[in-house]
Every structure is written in C-alpha cells, then in structure tokens.
Amino acid sequence: MRVGVPRETYPGETRVAMTPGAVASLEKAGIDVVVERDAGSAAGFPDDAFADKGAALGSRDDAFGADVVLQVRTLGANLDAGRADLERFGRGQVVIGFSNPLQNPEAARELAPTGVTSFSIELMPRITRAQSMDGLSSQATVAGYRAVLMAAESLPKMFPMLTTAAGTIAPARVLVVGAGVAGLQAIATARRLGAVVEAYDVRPAVKEQVQSLGAKFVELELETGEAEGAGGYAKEMDEEFLRRQRELMARVVAASDAVITTAQVQGKKAPMIVTAEMVRGMQKGSVIIDLAAEQGGNCELSRPDEEVVEHGVRILGPTNLPAAAPFHASQMYAKNLANFLALLVKDGELVIDLEDEIVDGTLVTRDGRVVCSRVLEALGEPVAAAEAAEA
Ligand code: NAD
C-alpha cells in the first residue's frame, strides 16, 4: 500500500495534505508514503523532514502513481489547475480531499471517467466516530482564528480595554454571526485579544457555548423553530425569517466595530444577513469579515477575496483563511486524513466497506460513475437509477 502526496496547485494554497508527523504514523501502520518534492515547503515542512520520518521523495507522477492520493484540493476545489492532473489518475486508484461536491458537482462528472474512487472530505457525516476525520471542522477552526486577526489588523482601533496615563481606551466591540466551529473559535480569539464579544446563531443550542466563552448571546425575537437539521447543521431559513433577522440585527451591527460572519447552510447559498443599508448604519472605520463570501456572502457587499470599502466600512471576503496558517491547518488536516485512511486500509489492503456510514457518505465516484446521491441530486440526475445500478 502506497500513499502519494502531491504539491497543491490551487493559487495561493500553502497547505499540504500530509505532515512528517502523520507520515510517521502511516509508516508505522505499514503504509508507504511518497511525497512530491517541495510539497510541504510553503506550510513549513521541508523535504528533509518528510524523509526523516521515512517518506520517499519523488516527482508529481510518482505521487499520483500511488494507490491512494491525498490532496487538500482535488479537482472540484481546484477547477482550473486541477484539470492538469486528470490524465494522471487510473482505474481503481483512490483520491481523498476537499472537492466542493455540492457547489461544483460537475467536477465529479469530469473525474468519474478516469475510474478513480474519490472521497470528499466535505461529505463527512456528523457523527461522533467521524469527528477525528472532519476536515471541515479542523479548517474552520483555523479560519475563525485568522478572521479575528484580520479584523484586528484592519480596524483603526485596538481590541483590549486599556487604562493608561494617557487615558482610558474602550475595548473593541465584536459581533460574530454564526456560532459553529469557525464562529466559536472567532469568539474565543476575539475574547483573548480583549474585545467585548456578542454572537448570534439560529440554532438556540449554541447559546450556552457562546456564553461559556465569555461572549453575550444576542437574543432576537425570532421563532427559530427547528433550526437544527440532520447532523447538527443549520436548516435553511425562509426569506421572511431572514428579513426579520436583518431588521432585528441592524442595531447590534451598527454598534459593532468588527462583524465576523460565518453563517452557512451546507450545500446552499449563504444567508444574506448584513445589507448595504446596515453597513451604512455602521461607524466609519468599522470592519466586516465575511467568511461566507465564496458561498454568496452573508454581507450584501462582500466580494470573494476582495476588499470593498463602503461608507468608510471595510468589507473583506477571504475564501482561504486556513492557508494563512498552513502549518497547523496542515497538521490537523493530515491527522484527519490519517484517521480516515485507518478506516479504509485493513491489514495493508484497501477495503471500501459501503456498510460503513463514513465510507458510504463520503464516496463520490467509483468505477467510472458518480455514485453519491447528494452529488447526483446537485447534478439534477436521477438518484434512484444510480442506486439501483449500484445494487
Ligand atoms: P456551518 O459552517 O455549516 O455554519 C456555521 C454556523 O452558521 C452554524 O452554527 C449555523 O447554525 C449558523 N447559521 C446558519 N444560518 C444562520 C443565520 N441565518 N443566522 C445566524 N447563524 C446562522 O456549521 P459548523 O461550524 O460546521 O457546525 C455546525 C454544528 O455542527 C456545530 O454545533 C458543530 O459543533 C457541529 N459539528 C458536529 C460534528 C460531529 O459530530 N462529527 C462535526 C462538526 C461539527
């Protein structure tokens, strides 16, 4: 069993799918690892460090020639540069990585004819057993942390309250909208920097978590009802709910120096929560960091990876914040993948056990076809026919 780790080719991607530490655990389990030269340099893992832990160093073809290819971004999450690797895949080979399967399902259709068996980390089911393999969560932790640093850098104020001989400085007020994994880490980071933090989420269950981090939960007079759907993900709220939410949140947004939005509903366009009018109600110099910019944005004015200035308010929509802390982002991601591999490899052999909810849930293509019902649905293809063929 040989695992290959190519260098990432998505513009600005600095992460790597394996780290020397995780390589050591794979080698111990009898799995050989071949790493493309320079694959880890941008994340702070030089070739020597991989070699010291027993990995072989090789070319891109060597890495893609392995039984299992581990990537941060497979084709669906690297649409342009990723196509160059399509010809490197062969039948029966396995590829594991992020692939944006519900946003870019066409990529799965493009990948399928290579015969590759592909697994998408975004489709990891939210069950306790899968937590250690959940790459979305590990990377969201990094994004939440970096979002606060970005806000702190962009704000013309400091975050902590200071009592000095030159006067007293009031603490910055930070609002976090969406208190999932990224949001909770943003709250914790903003608190550590000394800000006064408020947070809101449609899932009432998070109120306690928000408070335990020392932030105030924003109570809105809104009937959230069954806001939590399968696996702890938020359900899509209707337009009337979102209209009321915006109305009630306008006052809190206006009083905030920095607003960090992380609200998402898996597989759907992000809910629009901060309107242009709400931005105009903010103090000049305030900052919005919209972590949902790639999914359509929580702020009406945000643009992916651009800085928009409106009414003196800076609005940033970073789409790849984990790449800003690639060492630890890669470390956690590599651990996620090593745990996932442990599920697929039994006694040195690949065993794709579709009875296992984690394996079945993340499998996207196999034997030349797209086999994941959620991806087929996103493609508008009949799911039942595909399932019958599978059986
Ligand atoms: P996410 O990235 O899908 O969404 C971010 C947050 O936005 C969520 O908390 C969601 O409720 C919120 N949101 C959606 N619409 C909103 C709106 N209109 N206004 C305000 N907030 C809105 O979520 P996530 O960070 O991946 O995590 C969601 C939950 O799942 C968390 O409780 C997390 O702990 C849990 N989780 C469980 C597992 C597991 O059991 N294996 C793994 C990962 C996450």
XYZ file of all heavy atoms in Angstrom, residues 223-292:
521
model
N -38.705 33.391 15.948
C -39.066 31.992 16.177
C -38.159 31.118 15.317
O -38.348 31.025 14.107
C -40.553 31.806 15.805
C -41.142 30.486 16.236
C -40.748 30.059 17.657
O -41.177 30.724 18.626
O -39.996 29.088 17.757
N -37.132 30.530 15.937
C -36.201 29.729 15.131
C -36.747 28.325 14.860
O -36.320 27.673 13.926
C -34.824 29.599 15.832
O -35.053 29.193 17.167
C -34.067 30.885 15.797
N -37.708 27.893 15.687
C -38.320 26.580 15.475
C -37.271 25.494 15.361
O -36.345 25.422 16.172
N -37.382 24.682 14.326
C -36.439 23.581 14.125
C -35.273 24.074 13.274
O -35.134 23.700 12.112
C -37.133 22.422 13.421
C -38.172 21.706 14.261
C -37.535 20.885 15.384
O -36.731 20.002 15.068
O -37.845 21.161 16.558
N -34.435 24.940 13.847
C -33.341 25.499 13.040
C -32.225 24.494 12.832
O -31.390 24.647 11.965
C -32.792 26.749 13.712
N -32.197 23.457 13.666
C -31.118 22.480 13.550
C -31.618 21.257 12.787
O -32.610 20.641 13.162
C -30.633 22.082 14.942
C -29.348 21.281 14.883
C -28.543 21.354 16.179
O -28.463 22.440 16.772
O -27.996 20.330 16.562
N -30.928 20.944 11.699
C -31.329 19.793 10.884
C -30.451 18.596 11.167
O -29.839 18.495 12.242
N -30.344 17.717 10.190
C -29.576 16.487 10.359
C -28.116 16.795 10.652
O -27.529 17.700 10.060
C -29.679 15.650 9.091
N -27.539 16.080 11.576
C -26.106 16.165 11.853
C -25.651 17.476 12.454
O -24.492 17.828 12.371
N -26.563 18.232 13.061
C -26.149 19.469 13.716
C -26.012 20.653 12.772
O -25.710 21.763 13.192
N -26.246 20.429 11.471
C -26.174 21.542 10.527
C -27.441 22.390 10.639
O -28.524 21.866 10.940
C -26.108 21.026 9.086
C -24.724 20.641 8.637
C -24.425 19.326 8.347
C -23.736 21.594 8.501
C -23.158 18.957 7.922
C -22.472 21.237 8.081
C -22.182 19.920 7.795
O -20.924 19.574 7.383
N -27.298 23.689 10.343
C -28.473 24.561 10.357
C -29.326 24.257 9.136
O -28.825 23.888 8.081
C -28.026 26.020 10.319
N -30.643 24.425 9.306
C -31.541 24.303 8.157
C -31.613 25.650 7.468
O -31.317 26.682 8.070
C -32.936 23.936 8.659
C -33.106 22.471 8.972
C -34.582 22.206 9.175
C -34.835 20.769 9.551
N -36.157 20.612 10.151
N -32.061 25.643 6.222
C -32.198 26.903 5.501
C -33.433 27.626 6.046
O -34.515 27.043 6.118
C -32.355 26.616 4.010
C -32.171 27.852 3.162
C -32.116 27.507 1.670
O -32.639 26.454 1.268
O -31.554 28.332 0.928
N -33.278 28.885 6.452
C -34.414 29.640 6.977
C -35.096 30.343 5.791
O -34.444 30.680 4.810
C -33.941 30.675 8.009
C -33.073 30.103 9.127
S -33.778 28.663 9.978
C -34.765 29.441 11.255
N -36.401 30.588 5.909
C -37.083 31.205 4.764
C -36.803 32.713 4.708
O -36.257 33.303 5.637
C -38.581 30.894 4.760
C -39.279 31.440 5.994
O -38.779 32.419 6.572
O -40.320 30.871 6.376
N -37.172 33.319 3.590
C -36.822 34.714 3.347
C -37.464 35.641 4.383
O -36.860 36.615 4.807
C -37.218 35.106 1.911
C -36.674 36.428 1.407
C -35.223 36.766 1.828
O -34.335 35.906 1.696
O -34.984 37.913 2.311
N -38.673 35.312 4.835
C -39.348 36.147 5.836
C -38.547 36.145 7.146
O -38.361 37.185 7.787
C -40.791 35.623 6.046
C -41.583 36.306 7.143
C -41.665 37.835 7.016
O -41.452 38.363 5.913
O -41.910 38.493 8.054
N -38.036 34.957 7.520
C -37.213 34.859 8.732
C -35.968 35.743 8.582
O -35.626 36.521 9.467
C -36.788 33.402 8.975
C -35.882 33.235 10.176
C -36.406 32.899 11.416
C -34.510 33.437 10.065
C -35.573 32.763 12.525
C -33.670 33.315 11.165
C -34.201 32.972 12.396
N -35.304 35.615 7.425
C -34.066 36.375 7.218
C -34.333 37.879 7.201
O -33.532 38.671 7.693
C -33.380 35.925 5.917
C -32.784 34.512 5.944
C -32.265 34.114 4.574
C -31.653 34.403 6.970
N -35.500 38.278 6.650
C -35.845 39.704 6.628
C -35.979 40.232 8.065
O -35.424 41.257 8.421
C -37.169 39.898 5.862
C -37.529 41.359 5.575
C -38.938 41.508 5.056
N -39.950 41.051 6.015
C -40.308 41.699 7.120
N -39.749 42.845 7.427
N -41.227 41.194 7.937
N -36.683 39.470 8.915
C -36.861 39.852 10.318
C -35.509 39.847 11.035
O -35.215 40.706 11.857
C -37.794 38.846 11.032
C -39.257 39.110 10.823
C -39.754 40.315 11.599
N -39.793 40.129 13.057
C -39.759 41.124 13.939
N -39.635 42.353 13.517
N -39.818 40.886 15.237
N -34.686 38.830 10.712
C -33.369 38.735 11.360
C -32.542 39.989 11.066
O -31.931 40.580 11.950
C -32.626 37.481 10.871
C -31.242 37.340 11.492
C -30.488 36.097 11.038
O -31.011 35.253 10.331
N -29.249 35.986 11.449
N -32.555 40.417 9.786
C -31.787 41.609 9.402
C -32.303 42.834 10.148
O -31.531 43.649 10.650
C -31.894 41.825 7.885
C -31.147 40.772 7.079
C -31.056 41.150 5.625
N -32.291 40.990 4.893
C -32.596 39.912 4.164
N -31.754 38.904 4.080
N -33.741 39.847 3.519
N -33.633 42.930 10.204
C -34.267 44.077 10.858
C -33.826 44.165 12.322
O -33.426 45.223 12.805
C -35.774 43.830 10.783
C -36.658 45.045 10.827
C -38.102 44.578 10.576
O -38.449 44.384 9.395
O -38.840 44.370 11.564
N -33.884 43.011 12.998
C -33.577 42.996 14.428
C -32.079 43.124 14.692
O -31.660 43.609 15.737
C -34.105 41.702 15.060
C -35.630 41.566 15.081
C -36.041 40.156 15.489
C -36.254 42.581 16.035
N -31.263 42.683 13.731
C -29.814 42.720 13.959
C -29.184 44.056 13.618
O -28.043 44.321 14.020
C -29.129 41.611 13.152
C -29.177 40.294 13.881
S -28.206 39.054 13.094
C -26.649 39.550 13.600
N -29.909 44.900 12.888
C -29.327 46.160 12.397
C -28.709 46.975 13.544
O -27.609 47.513 13.425
C -30.386 46.974 11.671
N -29.405 46.999 14.676
C -28.949 47.803 15.812
C -27.627 47.236 16.371
O -26.699 47.981 16.670
C -30.045 47.763 16.891
C -29.863 48.695 18.043
C -30.947 48.446 19.091
N -31.204 47.013 19.312
C -30.448 46.220 20.089
N -29.405 46.715 20.716
N -30.753 44.947 20.235
N -27.549 45.919 16.477
C -26.334 45.288 17.023
C -25.169 45.484 16.056
O -24.039 45.764 16.472
C -26.559 43.766 17.250
C -25.449 43.184 18.109
C -27.908 43.490 17.860
N -25.449 45.351 14.763
C -24.400 45.534 13.752
C -23.874 46.970 13.826
O -22.661 47.209 13.823
C -24.945 45.207 12.333
C -23.968 45.651 11.255
C -25.238 43.708 12.208
N -24.799 47.936 13.940
C -24.406 49.356 13.957
C -23.502 49.665 15.149
O -22.630 50.530 15.075
C -25.659 50.231 13.987
N -23.679 48.945 16.243
C -22.907 49.226 17.462
C -21.572 48.474 17.495
O -20.813 48.610 18.445
C -23.747 48.842 18.683
N -21.283 47.692 16.437
C -20.072 46.858 16.460
C -18.933 47.494 15.674
O -19.146 48.098 14.628
C -20.369 45.479 15.857
O -21.426 44.869 16.568
N -17.717 47.334 16.190
C -16.533 47.791 15.446
C -16.151 46.760 14.385
O -15.704 47.105 13.306
C -15.347 47.948 16.409
C -15.593 49.040 17.437
O -15.835 50.177 17.026
O -15.562 48.726 18.640
N -16.299 45.503 14.738
C -15.960 44.435 13.796
C -17.081 43.408 13.799
O -17.558 43.005 14.854
C -14.640 43.774 14.195
N -17.502 43.030 12.594
C -18.526 41.990 12.463
C -17.884 40.834 11.712
O -17.309 41.021 10.638
C -19.761 42.512 11.691
C -20.780 41.391 11.486
C -20.393 43.689 12.423
N -17.952 39.636 12.291
C -17.401 38.456 11.623
C -18.567 37.523 11.332
O -19.266 37.091 12.256
C -16.338 37.781 12.512
C -15.159 38.754 12.625
C -15.878 36.446 11.910
C -14.157 38.421 13.653
N -18.814 37.274 10.063
C -19.957 36.429 9.714
C -19.480 35.078 9.210
O -18.558 34.988 8.397
C -20.846 37.098 8.645
O -20.106 37.227 7.443
C -21.342 38.456 9.093
N -20.109 34.031 9.731
C -19.705 32.661 9.359
C -20.931 31.813 9.036
O -20.837 30.590 8.984
C -18.960 31.973 10.525
O -19.930 31.587 11.528
C -17.940 32.866 11.196
N -22.097 32.447 8.856
C -23.350 31.684 8.736
C -23.434 30.936 7.411
O -23.298 31.531 6.338
C -24.547 32.610 8.897
N -23.630 29.641 7.513
C -23.726 28.817 6.305
C -24.787 27.752 6.499
O -25.093 27.368 7.621
C -22.401 28.103 6.056
C -21.250 29.074 6.002
C -20.149 28.624 5.089
O -20.354 27.832 4.184
N -18.970 29.142 5.321
N -25.298 27.272 5.390
C -26.222 26.146 5.400
C -25.669 25.205 4.336
O -25.572 25.588 3.170
C -27.657 26.594 5.039
C -28.595 25.407 5.036
C -28.139 27.669 6.001
N -25.237 24.008 4.761
C -24.465 23.161 3.840
C -25.180 22.936 2.508
O -26.371 22.605 2.467
C -24.138 21.816 4.476
C -22.791 21.331 3.947
C -22.571 19.838 4.093
O -23.513 19.075 4.233
N -21.325 19.426 4.048
N -24.441 23.148 1.427
C -24.962 22.886 0.092
C -25.862 23.984 -0.452
O -26.366 23.883 -1.565
N -26.084 25.038 0.322
C -26.980 26.122 -0.127
C -26.200 27.427 -0.193
O -25.117 27.550 0.368
C -28.131 26.317 0.866
C -28.907 25.068 1.199
C -30.059 24.918 0.236
C -31.001 23.865 0.676
N -31.271 22.738 0.109
N -26.824 28.398 -0.864
C -26.242 29.737 -0.877
C -26.286 30.262 0.572
O -27.238 29.979 1.302
C -27.098 30.617 -1.796
C -26.514 31.961 -2.088
C -27.393 32.708 -3.093
C -26.885 34.120 -3.303
N -26.851 34.949 -2.101
N -25.271 30.999 0.970
C -25.224 31.504 2.350
C -26.358 32.498 2.586
O -26.729 33.246 1.673
C -23.879 32.172 2.597
N -26.926 32.532 3.801
C -27.988 33.502 4.073
C -27.440 34.927 4.084
O -26.364 35.170 4.612
C -28.489 33.105 5.467
C -27.361 32.350 6.092
C -26.618 31.688 4.970
N -28.184 35.843 3.474
C -27.736 37.239 3.443
C -28.243 37.927 4.714
O -29.439 38.033 4.934
C -28.252 37.918 2.175
C -27.374 39.041 1.713
S -27.847 40.539 2.490
C -29.268 40.891 1.478
N -27.314 38.366 5.527
C -27.667 38.851 6.863
C -27.352 40.332 7.051
O -28.066 41.045 7.726
C -26.920 37.998 7.922
C -27.469 36.561 7.869
C -27.086 38.563 9.317
C -26.663 35.560 8.653
N -26.271 40.807 6.431
C -25.897 42.226 6.588
C -26.101 42.931 5.242
O -25.373 42.684 4.285
C -24.428 42.357 7.065
C -24.064 43.823 7.260
C -24.191 41.572 8.340
N -27.113 43.797 5.192
C -27.418 44.501 3.946
C -26.526 45.730 3.773
O -25.870 46.171 4.728
C -28.876 44.998 3.954
O -29.004 45.904 5.057
C -29.865 43.848 4.092
N -26.554 46.288 2.562
C -25.790 47.511 2.291
C -26.273 48.633 3.222
O -25.475 49.432 3.729
C -25.964 47.912 0.829
N -27.570 48.657 3.473
C -28.123 49.694 4.356
C -27.587 49.530 5.779
O -27.252 50.516 6.444
C -29.645 49.549 4.343
C -30.356 50.765 4.875
C -31.848 50.497 5.040
O -32.388 49.653 4.289
O -32.428 51.106 5.940
N -27.472 48.281 6.224
C -26.927 48.039 7.570
C -25.471 48.483 7.628
O -25.013 48.999 8.648
C -27.053 46.547 7.931
C -28.476 46.132 8.249
S -28.707 44.338 8.106
C -28.173 43.777 9.703
N -24.738 48.286 6.545
C -23.338 48.717 6.504
C -23.274 50.242 6.651
O -22.440 50.779 7.386
C -22.655 48.260 5.184
C -21.280 48.891 5.035
C -22.564 46.736 5.129
N -24.192 50.921 5.972
C -24.208 52.394 6.057
C -24.554 52.875 7.469
O -24.247 53.994 7.842
C -25.171 52.973 5.019
C -24.569 52.948 3.608
C -25.399 53.757 2.619
N -26.637 53.076 2.249
C -26.742 52.166 1.284
N -25.672 51.837 0.580
N -27.894 51.595 1.016
N -25.171 51.997 8.255
C -25.502 52.349 9.644
C -24.327 52.164 10.600
O -24.403 52.535 11.764
N -23.216 51.591 10.112
C -22.056 51.345 10.987
C -21.160 52.575 11.054
O -21.207 53.449 10.180
C -21.243 50.143 10.459
C -22.003 48.831 10.516
S -21.084 47.453 9.753
C -19.887 47.058 11.040
N -20.325 52.629 12.085
C -19.354 53.719 12.218
C -18.303 53.598 11.119
O -17.892 52.478 10.784
C -18.613 53.598 13.559
C -19.485 53.764 14.782
C -19.944 55.188 14.973
O -19.191 56.135 14.714
N -21.204 55.356 15.369
N -17.850 54.732 10.605
C -16.759 54.685 9.630
C -15.538 54.050 10.310
O -15.323 54.254 11.497
C -16.410 56.089 9.154
C -17.480 56.674 8.249
C -17.014 57.972 7.618
C -18.155 58.775 7.013
N -19.046 58.055 6.133
N -14.782 53.294 9.547
C -13.601 52.621 10.123
C -13.919 51.224 10.618
O -13.009 50.460 10.939
N -15.207 50.889 10.687
C -15.561 49.534 11.139
C -15.188 48.507 10.067
O -14.913 48.862 8.918
C -17.069 49.423 11.413
O -17.455 50.424 12.297
N -15.207 47.245 10.456
C -14.731 46.177 9.567
C -15.728 45.028 9.560
O -16.291 44.681 10.605
C -13.380 45.627 10.089
C -12.882 44.495 9.226
C -12.350 46.721 10.179
N -15.928 44.439 8.390
C -16.718 43.207 8.301
C -15.833 42.139 7.664
O -15.215 42.385 6.618
C -17.986 43.406 7.435
C -18.906 44.445 8.072
C -18.728 42.073 7.236
C -20.119 44.813 7.236
N -15.729 40.998 8.300
C -15.019 39.864 7.693
C -16.085 38.818 7.380
O -16.703 38.263 8.295
C -13.967 39.253 8.654
C -13.071 40.323 9.292
C -13.149 38.166 7.938
C -12.059 40.975 8.395
N -16.302 38.573 6.111
C -17.374 37.670 5.680
C -16.768 36.322 5.261
O -16.216 36.191 4.176
C -18.131 38.307 4.503
C -19.348 37.498 4.095
O -19.513 36.368 4.589
O -20.143 38.004 3.272
N -16.889 35.350 6.158
C -16.295 34.038 5.851
C -17.152 33.228 4.885
O -16.753 32.146 4.456
C -16.093 33.229 7.145
C -14.996 33.707 8.086
C -14.695 32.659 9.148
C -13.718 34.026 7.332
N -18.325 33.742 4.559
C -19.200 33.012 3.626
C -19.146 33.620 2.227
O -19.979 33.303 1.372
C -20.629 33.006 4.146
